[in-house]
Amino acid sequence: MSTPSALDSLGLREALVGVAERSAVPTHIVYELPEPLPEPVRAAAYFVVSEAVTNAAKHAEADEVLVRVTREGGQVEVTVRDDGLGGADPAGGGLTGLRGRVAALDGRLTVHSPPGGPTTITAELPCASSSPRTPPC
């Protein structure tokens, strides 16, 4: 999957605002990163949010989605929480693809989605690592 041009021209914050504006479910963005991110981290964060918001609209019957992007120590944390029905399958195609994208940066994706909801998807994307795959933030 190629990187959306909005990431290059607008940056992550504005690209996520665009995801929220296009969503069929009211989506609120809390963005707490003061500095720009390396392209692989920006792209992974964008795709996590885009896929999770799309899933909330298509499958969860959610009334609201909250996206939070923060820096916690040496990593960027992306959390997407919807108030829908829950029951998301962590082994489903979209979430498996996200897990692979996040793992390629030595990150971790967790899905908490009990029946009845809510669903919370969290990506922890390292910004400080000895791995050549993970650029510094």
Side-chain angles (χ1 to χ4, degrees):
M1 195 178 283
S2 64
T3 303
S5 61
L7 279 176
D8 295 328
S9 61
L10 300 174
L12 180 58
R13 179 192 306 254
E14 292 305 316
L16 295 181
V17 168
V19 169
E21 290 172 348
R22 291 186 303 275
S23 176
V25 176
T27 300
H28 309 282
I29 307 288
V30 177
Y31 189 92
E32 299 174 341
L33 297 178
E35 72 279 352
L37 299 172
E39 188 281 327
V41 175
R42 282 186 303 145
Y46 176 85
F47 285 115
V48 166
V49 171
S50 184
E51 179 73 18
V53 168
T54 297
N55 286 349
K58 286 171 86 173
H59 307 295
E61 297 181 27
D63 293 321
E64 185 174 54
V65 177
L66 174 64
V67 174
R68 182 177 222 81
V69 183
T70 60
R71 176 91 185 249
E72 299 294 329
Q75 66 186 10
V76 171
E77 189 170 284
V78 178
T79 303
V80 183
R81 184 177 190 274
D82 72 59
D83 64 355
L85 300 174
D89 180 4
L95 293 174
T96 298
L98 288 181
R99 187 169 284 108
R101 182 180 283 275
V102 169
L105 296 175
D106 296 329
R108 189 174 86 168
L109 184 84
T110 57
V111 178
H112 181 72
S113 186
T119 295
T120 303
I121 297 172
T122 304
E124 298 167 346
L125 303 165
C127 284
S129 171
S130 59
S131 170
R133 296 184 301 181
T134 305
C137 293

